[in-house]
Structure formats: C-alpha cells, structure tokens
Amino acid sequence: MSITLKNVRYFVAVAEMQSISRAVQDLNVSQSVVTEAIRALEVDLGVQLFTRHARGMSLTHAGYQFLRHAHQILASVRHAREALSMRPDAVTGQLNIGVTSLVCGYFLPYLLERFRSTFPQVEVRVVEDQRDYIEHLLVNGELDAAVLIVSNVQNRQALHTEVLQQSSYRLWLPAGHRLLDGGAVTLADLAEQPLVALKLDELEDVATALWRQIGRKPQLAVRTASVEAMRSLVATGAGLAIMPDVLYRPWSLEGDRLEVLPLQEETPTLEVGVVWRRGMRVSDNTHNFLALAREYSRSHKQTFS
C-alpha cells in the first residue's frame, strides 16, 4: 500500500493531539478511519510510529523522524496549491493606472492589452490627466503606477521612475520640401519656416527650449493638441515640426506623405516609462504590471534616432 496524502495528514493530527479521539474531532472523520490510516502508514514504512498507552498515543523515535518529513510533505503540497491558485487567469483585484494624453494613445494600449489578456480577472482603472496631477495622485496613493514621459517627472524624491522607451527628436516635413535635398538641418535653417507646435504632454516646452538655446524665436503657424492633426498639417505643407520619433508615422490619415530629417543640434531624448511611489508596498497586481511593462520593453527594444 502506498503512502497517501490523507494518511500523512491524519498522522500529523494524531501526533499533535497525542490522541486519536481528539484528532478525529478536528478531522471530522470516524476513529476507525484514522486508526486504519496510522496502521497503514506503519505497515508501509515498516516501523512503529506511536506507542499506545492509556492516556493516548506518543511518538516513537521513528515517529518523530517521520513527523518532520510529514510536515515538509504537507508544506510542499500547500505551496503547490498556492502557486496554482496564482495562475494569471485566477488573479483578481484592481489596478489603478495613471497616464497622460500622449502616452495614452501611443504606449499604454499595448501594455493594457498584454496585461488584460494575461490577467483577465483583474479590474483595470485608467485615469488620464495632466502630468502634474498624475504625480499628485501617485504621491497620495490613489494610483498604483503611471505610464508617463518620465523625462518630465518633477517629484523625483517621492516617485520612482523606470525608462521603457527612448525617442530622439527629428524634423517632420512634407514630401518634396526643398530641405530634403540636403542632409541634417540646423535650427537656423528653420528660422524663417512656418512651424506647427504640439500642445501635448509638455512637448512644446522642449521645442521652446531648443529655440532659446540659439536666441531665436520660431515662426509658429499652428498650435494643436492633436497628433493626427499635426501629421495632416505637416503633410499638407502648413508647417514643419520638431517631434519625437515615437510619434512618427510616414502617412497622415488622409494618405499624405511625411518625411523626416535629423537636426544638427543636440536634442533631448524623450523617455517613456513607468512611475510609482517610493517607499510604497507594491501590490501583486502592480508588480505584475511592471513586470509585463519591462517584458514588453525588452521585446520591442528600440532607441529611435
């Protein structure tokens, strides 16, 4: 007869209670079932596990040795059950994520799709707002994590940041533009060109800082909060734009072509990543989200330039 998990559990109960009659009260089985289980273990192991006496039962030396192994057996089974109960499709709870408008349209959808397909029972709540307000919610513990342009994060003493994607800035221009005949352009080359600015996620501040470096003022033709409008405006000749490559697509929605050129000046790098509060206990769902974000970043690793 082979050792069964049930017999091991009965043995541990009797060893701890030092009595079959007291053990069966917790086990909710008959005394004969437990007696037979102990007898079967002793036959299978070839040793006597208990000494029977009027006051109950006490472990023999072999019984003490087997008790140690019995606890390990039950612990291993318990850990295995816990691991199985943590299957991704069995995980529940809530995940609160913050995001800014730009990242919401160009990075978060891929992470959410991966997270929701892996952990379908977790309720995901997304808050889209300005970067400073998202930081406020993170510090207050109202959000578990955020996906932001981390190069813009201000409260670095309270917030931990981790870069997932990097993107350089280049010049967007319409097909056939005369600047395409040369190579890299300078900001001075653009001083008299009409420009389109994107009022989104503080990207306009980057362009303003670049112009300030050379002491020139850009010729702004249009300011828009829509990336798609930006593409259409550039593609149809309304103006040029200095934009991060993570936003670049070669065609506008109307099917007009956009081209890109590098800038000779050194430009900052746009960094997209995850942010969470320092010193906060990271929940299991947040940990899973961060792990998937890192995995996605590694599998789609690219530095735009």
Side-chain angles (χ1 to χ4, degrees), residues 173-289:
L173 60 175
H177 195 281
R178 63 177 180 80
L179 289 177
L180 289 169
D181 295 334
V185 297
T186 66
L187 289 175
D189 296 330
L190 309 177
E192 304 304 322
Q193 295 285 334
L195 297 175
V196 181
L198 184 63
K199 303 183 298 178
L200 201 61
D201 265 18
E202 302 164 285
L203 292 186
E204 193 174 11
D205 296 341
V206 175
T208 300
L210 288 174
W211 288 104
R212 190 180 297 119
Q213 287 177 12
I214 65 169
R216 302 289 289 270
K217 187 175 180 180
Q219 303 297 315
L220 287 180
V222 184
R223 296 174 70 242
T224 178
S226 167
V227 177
E228 293 300 343
M230 163 80 73
R231 293 197 189 102
S232 296
L233 289 164
V234 172
T236 54
L240 311 183
I242 299 172
M243 284 286 104
D245 271 345
V246 70
L247 302 181
Y248 175 70
R249 305 291 184 273
W251 304 97
S252 70
L253 284 177
E254 296 78 16
D256 297 306
R257 177 78 184 181
L258 284 86
E259 303 288 352
V260 290
L261 283 177
L263 293 167
Q264 288 188 17
E265 285 86 357
E266 183 176 349
T267 60
T269 299
L270 181 141
E271 297 175 333
V272 178
V274 286
V275 186
W276 64 98
R277 196 178 77 182
R278 291 184 184 275
M280 180 183 72
R281 179 191 171 276
V282 178
S283 69
D284 290 339
N285 285 329
T286 304
H287 175 78
N288 291 333
F289 179 79

